[in-house]
Amino acid sequence: MDRKFESDIDRRSYLKLVGAGGAVGMMGTAGCLGGGDGGDGETTTTEGGETGTEGGETTDMEVTEIVPGTAPGFAPFEFKEGDELVGFDIDLTTAVVENMEGYELGEWKEFEFSSLIPALTSENIDLIAAAMTINDERKQTISFSDPYYEADQSVLVRTDGEFSPGSLDDLNGHPVGAQKGTTGESIVQEQVPDATYRAYDNYVLAVRDLENGNVDAVVLDKPVAENFASQSAVEVAFVEETGEKYGLGMRQDSEFIDALNEGLAAVKEDGTYEEIVNKWFGQE
Ligand code: ARG
């Protein structure tokens, strides 16, 4: 077991102790979360699921709530527009769950990215929708849906700066930022041993520090880097092809993994997926 995995476990037991830590906005929704107030902590869907009147006018299906969690500050996938949580992942998740019979989407909870997996395993949330890359390390702890988006990493630098790296090697000797717990962080830590790594709770802070000159580069997913580049005095210096695939995260024993994959397939088939891509990435 490597150290990262161990510290996830520590964090998780800590989260259990303090209740839910790391959450920005805590809500008391029950739904399909275990460990509510009282009861055995498990919400069950009645078999057959129907309790309605016979003529079928008001059929009352038992519906299980899926509480989703994300880490905003990662536009256009998830970010805040004023108080409102918006983005590609928000729309996609909403559309997918709409296609899952017997389930409904609960209220979104917001976390730092590195707190999402602990929040999921401690049953604080039921689903992660956070542009999370499917990888083996994470698969030791959680399950992923089928892939829903593909992206490479890229390296941001200041637009007016003199530093224009062409490869990861060029980052050695420089202060480089990334978000805690991300694949961008792993790249810096594993492939740029002589960089001074600075870890940030989110990429908004990392990019601000890049603009301020506190770091010389930030490593992050290319679609998000391009979004920052269109809005701040930063630009993509080069792309590191990683071919990462994003998946929605669920507990390994989640009862709705298949239903969610079917919902995702339906959304891809009926054109909704394409609409959401066009909405957030513009027509190609
Ligand atoms: N795709 C990267 C990863 O899985 C970065 C995801 C960051 N997501 C976020 N919502 N901040 O590690």
Side-chain angles (χ1 to χ4, degrees), residues 151-173:
D152 291 319
Q153 294 290 305
S154 68
V155 174
L156 279 178
V157 297
R158 281 179 294 285
T159 308
D160 60 4
E162 273 131 54
F163 184 47
S164 52
S167 73
L168 288 176
D169 246 11
D170 297 341
L171 302 182
N172 281 309

Side-chain angles (χ1 to χ4, degrees), residues 226-246:
E226 284 169 345
N227 195 276
F228 277 116
S230 73
Q231 298 183 2
S232 350
V234 297
E235 67 187 11
V236 174
F238 67 94
V239 172
E240 180 70 15
E241 283 180 22
T242 53
E244 289 165 62
K245 295 187 168 78
Y246 299 165

Side-chain angles (χ1 to χ4, degrees), residues 3-31:
R3 292 186 66 214
K4 228 184 214 160
F5 189 62
E6 254 170 45
S7 71
D8 265 355
I9 302 279
D10 292 343
R11 173 98 176 124
R12 194 189 313 155
S13 17
Y14 169 70
L15 286 168
K16 272 203 169 140
L17 280 176
V18 299
V24 179
M26 298 304 309
M27 296 286 311
T29 31

Side-chain angles (χ1 to χ4, degrees), residues 179-215:
Q179 181 179 32
K180 281 181 201 160
T182 60
T183 49
E185 171 175 83
S186 306
I187 287 186
V188 182
Q189 290 181 327
E190 288 159 23
Q191 298 185 51
V192 199
D194 295 327
T196 307
Y197 175 55
R198 299 238 165 95
Y200 293 88
D201 284 335
N202 68 64
Y203 274 118
V204 175
L205 299 173
V207 171
R208 193 172 304 160
D209 254 11
L210 176 59
E211 288 181 294
N212 294 340
N214 292 326
V215 291

